[in-house]
């Protein structure tokens, strides 16, 4: 640690805090308001700077890094940068990821001198960015004096880590290099808030009592389980085994309960559920919801909202029919409940009677035209314990959710925010933290067009990510919700585009597949390309989309079209 400074500036302080909370890569786009800050971050030996092609991608790359690392940082310039980065920050908020958004800002003298400045709205009020950031973060601070920086930086980071939400730190261009005090022990920032003992015990005994009065309990797992950290995923397995009941998983939580576990009954997604998970969830007389998120999308246009009272175990509280317990941490609650709950496997017995037989998937012959089903069949064969599968908004959601995850395989989806184009930068950010994992991205043509530039960073960092681009010539999910000419897009030569990102020194491969055999060959080539990304453009018929997408689209369209309710009706 000898290379750490003895005299601290605001930039050094921030750098040290980022490194201390476990950040190893920080995602940046430079601009004159943040250049000194970038120098200071670069000087920290524990941080690696990762340049991105634009601030939208930068924020989404940081979002993906937070999925892999638990926390991330995105550093941008004022307004022109930050307003674009707000989008990925919104994603981090919706997806419960602590992303630290850091923006350079004008020199502290300019506001009081009523100067008009570049990269601003052309008024002399420079507080608007902070005000906007307050809406999309759990804590937004603007450093106005160097001596305030340690307190404000620590406060913002602590809030983000505790709430699992993004925070915002604004640092004026003339303060990054200004001196401040050195950091105190990092535990003051990172130490978790433990459960209130009395609340924890009361919540667990209330839950045991409630469940003992029920005949058909089911556990429903949601995406906040993993975000809670704190050993919550392992604790859930213990609880499930102690209860012996059926465990269904929301689509955004796929993989958070092992799919090879004998109590796993599929993905609960209303009428588009897998393995008939909906039959058992709707049969239950007690539903223990663990980190669940119910939205119009996850409830298929509100058609699958469970209609029995819910017991909700959240990241930091538990709510039952008739009782609420604050400051109860999820992992601790699940572990505690596992020791007090009674075994009741009635829902597993019933599920084993009703579960559908495995579907026999037809293997196409090599000369067969490529279809969505054949793409899924070939991707299924690729999944192993080291795979992380990213599925983009679009039919990739439905195709990805249907796949069976082998033990150890991980699944990433951005279902709450649903920003098309998320998967490319997010997979890039994720891969930097997990170079050991085999990363596969399923993405549609429309989504790819939003953030395609970030493939060039995969090239720059020699990341062997496999991108399965499903080209169905347009915005098919939108077609199923509400069709119009706006759902058609310009076709690209995707394979050639990816080769263009190589410049003079890259190792990206761009391949095309129109038949089953071509896809098989392309996948083989992707596996052999260990020095850079491989994009396989899979051309399929425009109408070749999943039954699940069509069904889901009908219900979401109906929910969107509900007429305004008049007061009193
Ligand atoms: C839009 C969506 O080609 O996938 O399988 O063809 O649907 P499919 P594509 O990637 O098209 C995606 C497209 C336009 N959603 O169908 S899901 C609206 C939308 C969004 N995010 C942003 N803008 C618009 N989800 C940033
Ligand atoms: Mg498409």
């Amino acid at each position: 640690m000898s290379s750490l400074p003895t005299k601290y500036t605001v930039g050094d302080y921030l750098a040290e805090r980022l490194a201390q909370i476990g950040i190893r890569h920080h995602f940046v786009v430079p601009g004159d308001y943040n250049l000194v800050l970038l120098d200071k971050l670069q000087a920290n030996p524990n941080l690696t700077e990762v340049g991105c092609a634009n601030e939208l991608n930068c924020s989404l790359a940081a979002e993906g890094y937070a999925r892999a690392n638990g926390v991330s940082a995105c550093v941008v310039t004022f307004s022109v940068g930050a307003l674009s980065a707000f989008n990925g920050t919104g994603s981090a908020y919706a997806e419960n990821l602590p992303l630290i958004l850091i923006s350079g800002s004008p020199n502290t003298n300019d506001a009081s001198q009523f100067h008009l400045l570049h990269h601003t709205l052309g008024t002399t009020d420079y507080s608007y960015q902070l005000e906007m950031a307050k809406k999309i973060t759990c804590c937004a601070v603007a450093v106005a004096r160097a001596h305030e920086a340690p307190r404000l930086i620590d406060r913002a980071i602590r809030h983000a880590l505790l709430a699992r939400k993004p925070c915002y730190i604004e640092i004026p261009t003339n303060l990054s290099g200004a001196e401040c005090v050195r950091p105190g022990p990092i535990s003051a920032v990172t130490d978790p808030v433990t459960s209130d003992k009395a609340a924890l015990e009361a919540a667990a005994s209330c839950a045991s009592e409630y469940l003992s009065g029920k005949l058909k309990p089911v556990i429903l797992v949601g995406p906040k389980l993993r975000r809670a950290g704190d050993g919550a995923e392992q604790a859930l397995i213990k609880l499930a085994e102690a209860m012996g009941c059926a465990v269904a998983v929301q689509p955004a939580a796929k993989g958070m309960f092992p799919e090879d576990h004998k109590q796993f009954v599929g993905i609960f997604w209303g009428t588009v559920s897998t393995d008939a998970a909906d039959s058992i969830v709707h049969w239950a007389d007690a539903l223990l919801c663990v980190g669940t998120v119910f939205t119009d999308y996850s409830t298929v246009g509100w058609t699958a909202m469970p209609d029995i009272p819910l017991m909700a175990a959240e990241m930091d509280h538990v709510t039952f029919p008739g009782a609420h317990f604050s400051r109860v941490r999820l992992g601790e609650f699940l572990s505690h409940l596992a020791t007090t709950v009674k075994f009741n496997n009635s829902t597993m017995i019933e599920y084993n009677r009703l579960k559908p037989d495995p579907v026999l998937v037809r293997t196409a012959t090599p000369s067969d035209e490529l279809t969505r089903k054949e793409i899924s069949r070939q991707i299924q064969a690729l999944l192993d314990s080291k795979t992380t599968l990213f599925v983009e908004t679009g039919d990739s959601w439905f195709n990805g959710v249907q796949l069976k995850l082998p033990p150890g395989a991980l699944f990433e989806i951005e279902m709450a925010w649903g920003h098309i184009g998320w998967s490319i930068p997010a997979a890039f950010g994720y891969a930097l933290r997990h170079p050991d994992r085999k990363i596969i991205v399923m993405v549609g043509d429309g989504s790819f067009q939003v953030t395609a530039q970030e493939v060039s960073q995969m090239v720059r960092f020699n990341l062997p990510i496999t991108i399965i681009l499903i080209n169905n010539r347009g915005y098919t999910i939108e077609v199923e919700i509400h069709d119009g000419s706006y759902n058609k897009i310009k076709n690209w030569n995707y394979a050639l585009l990816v080769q263009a990102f190589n410049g003079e020194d890259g190792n990206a491969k761009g391949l095309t597949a129109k038949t089953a055999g071509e896809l098989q060959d392309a996948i083989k080539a992707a596996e052999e390309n260990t020095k850079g990304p491989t994009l396989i453009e899979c051309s399929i018929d425009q109408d070749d989309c999943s039954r699940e997408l069509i069904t889901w689209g009908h219900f979401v369209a109906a929910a969107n079209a509900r007429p305004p309710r008049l007061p009193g009706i």
Side-chain angles (χ1 to χ4, degrees):
M1 292 285 161
S2 56
S3 48
L4 292 177
T6 45
K7 266 192 173 176
Y8 278 79
T9 64
V10 172
D12 299 324
Y13 188 99
L14 177 64
E16 190 158 323
R17 283 312 198 206
L18 296 183
Q20 284 174 326
I21 61 170
I23 290 175
R24 291 290 163 267
H25 300 84
H26 57 290
F27 297 85
V28 314
V29 179
D32 59 349
Y33 291 121
N34 72 16
L35 297 178
V36 175
L37 179 62
L38 294 186
D39 289 344
K40 297 289 176 193
L41 299 179
Q42 259 186 3
N44 187 299
N46 298 314
L47 295 175
T48 302
E49 179 184 271
V50 180
C52 292
N54 62 51
E55 287 83 353
L56 168 64
N57 293 359
C58 188
S59 60
L60 291 171
E63 198 263 25
Y65 189 85
R67 287 171 187 261
N69 188 54
V71 59
S72 65
C74 168
V75 193
V76 296
T77 195
F78 198 66
S79 294
V80 290
L83 268 60
S84 292
F86 279 172
N87 208 323
T89 309
S91 179
Y93 199 103
E95 305 287 331
N96 297 292
L97 295 161
L99 178 159
I100 301 169
L101 176 64
I102 300 151
S103 175
S105 64
N107 179 296
T108 47
N109 301 303
D110 285 316
S112 58
Q113 291 176 327
F114 303 103
H115 286 159
L116 288 184
L117 297 171
H118 68 285
H119 296 347
T120 73
L121 298 175
T123 66
T124 53
D125 173 7
Y126 301 120
S127 64
Y128 60 91
Q129 187 170 301
L130 174 69
E131 293 305 313
M132 293 164 88
K134 283 180 186 166
K135 295 281 183 192
I136 55 163
T137 60
C138 68
C139 181
V141 298
V143 175
R145 296 274 182 264
H147 70 266
E148 290 176 348
R151 178 175 61 83
L152 294 175
I153 290 170
D154 282 7
R155 192 173 92 197
I157 296 177
R158 178 156 178 78
H159 270 76
L161 294 178
L162 286 183
R164 319 306 296 162
K165 297 281 183 196
C167 68
Y168 172 77
I169 301 171
E170 187 173 297
I171 303 183
T173 178
N174 59 333
L175 292 191
S176 295
E179 274 189 37
C180 69
V181 294
R182 68 186 162 78
I186 189 62
S187 51
V189 177
T190 52
D191 264 13
V193 172
T194 50
S195 298
D196 176 74
K197 234 176 153 253
L200 174 63
E201 272 171 23
S205 72
C206 179
S208 298
E209 202 184 306
Y210 182 81
L211 289 168
S212 68
K214 299 289 175 187
L215 301 173
K216 302 176 290 180
V218 166
I219 296 175
L220 180 61
V221 181
K224 286 185 276 181
L225 173 69
R226 180 164 295 158
R227 306 292 186 252
D230 184 29
E233 279 182 77
Q234 289 71 25
L236 175 70
I237 297 174
K238 277 209 189 115
L239 172 63
E241 290 172 355
M243 288 176 70
C245 67
V247 182
V249 173
Q250 291 193 303
K254 186 176 167 74
M256 295 188 192
F257 186 79
E259 296 202 341
D260 62 324
H261 195 288
K262 64 179 188 330
Q263 286 167 256
F264 173 70
V265 298
I267 305 295
F268 172 63
W269 200 359
T271 180
V272 298
S273 295
T274 68
D275 304 314
D278 52 331
S279 335
I280 206 69
V281 169
H282 290 310
W283 190 66
D285 65 355
L287 204 51
L288 174 53
C289 297
V290 182
T292 46
V293 177
F294 296 103
T295 68
D296 54 342
Y297 275 16
S298 70
T299 63
V300 192
W302 304 114
T303 59
M305 191 64 206
D307 58 5
I308 54 171
L310 304 179
M311 310 163 59
E314 295 288 334
M315 286 195 276
D316 62 359
H317 65 267
V318 183
T319 302
F320 295 114
H324 173 85
F325 304 92
S326 296
R327 226 183 99 195
V328 175
R329 282 174 59 99
L330 188 57
E332 289 179 295
F333 171 70
L334 299 174
S335 301
H336 204 301
L337 183 57
T339 62
T340 58
V341 81
K342 269 208 314 224
F343 187 82
N344 175 357
N345 63 350
S346 60
T347 49
M348 260 335 283
I349 294 173
E350 186 70 357
Y351 180 73
N352 286 330
R353 294 174 60 217
L354 63 77
K355 79 172 168 207
D357 293 331
V359 185
L360 287 176
V361 186
R362 180 184 163 268
T363 306
T365 52
S367 59
D368 283 351
E369 260 182 31
L370 198 54
T371 60
R372 184 189 63 78
K373 283 191 179 154
E374 176 60 16
I375 297 170
S376 290
R377 193 193 66 76
Q378 293 199 27
I379 294 176
Q380 180 68 68
L382 267 180
L383 306 183
D384 61 24
S385 63
K386 289 223 163 256
T387 307
T388 300
L389 181 67
F390 278 74
V391 299
E392 178 66 83
T393 306
D395 205 12
S396 297
W397 272 0
F398 299 88
N399 294 324
V401 161
Q402 307 282 322
L403 297 171
K404 302 268 173 272
L405 296 180
L410 296 170
F411 186 83
E412 295 293 345
I413 186 166
E414 188 217 31
M415 208 170 173
W417 192 244
H419 185 301
I420 59 170
W422 156 85
S423 64
I424 297 297
F428 161 61
Y430 184 102
L432 283 174
R433 180 61 181 78
H434 279 320
D436 49 321
R437 292 198 70 85
K438 172 165 133 185
I439 294 170
I440 302 173
V441 181
M442 293 170 75
V443 59
D445 50 337
S447 300
F448 185 76
Q449 291 196 2
V450 182
T451 52
Q453 308 96 322
E454 230 47 31
V455 174
S456 70
Q457 310 305 333
M458 299 177 184
V459 178
R460 190 180 188 184
F461 287 85
N462 301 311
L463 297 168
I465 296 170
T466 302
I467 302 167
I468 310 278
L469 186 146
I470 298 139
N471 188 355
N472 54 9
R473 301 293 184 107
Y475 298 142
T476 297
I477 203 171
E478 303 298 324
V479 171
E480 299 309 329
I481 295 175
H482 184 104
D483 199 11
S485 57
Y486 33 74
N487 292 327
K488 309 229 174 325
I489 60 173
K490 173 75 185 79
N491 194 39
W492 290 4
N493 187 331
Y494 297 97
L496 201 59
L497 176 72
V498 164
Q499 312 264 26
F501 290 138
N502 280 334
E504 46 293 314
D505 55 1
N507 297 301
K509 273 196 180 145
L511 306 164
T512 55
K514 292 197 165 72
T515 64
E518 283 170 6
L519 179 57
Q520 200 70 65
D521 294 344
I523 286 177
K524 195 162 171 288
E527 289 192 300
E528 282 161 9
N529 183 16
T530 55
K531 296 233 159 58
T534 303
L535 178 141
I536 308 172
E537 180 197 344
C538 302
S539 299
I540 60 169
D541 191 278
Q542 210 163 3
D543 292 328
D544 183 7
C545 69
S546 64
R547 181 189 67 79
E548 288 75 14
L549 166 59
I550 299 169
T551 314
W552 175 91
H554 291 170
F555 286 116
V556 170
N560 283 349
R562 281 164 304 156
R565 275 205 189 165
L566 296 173
I569 294 179

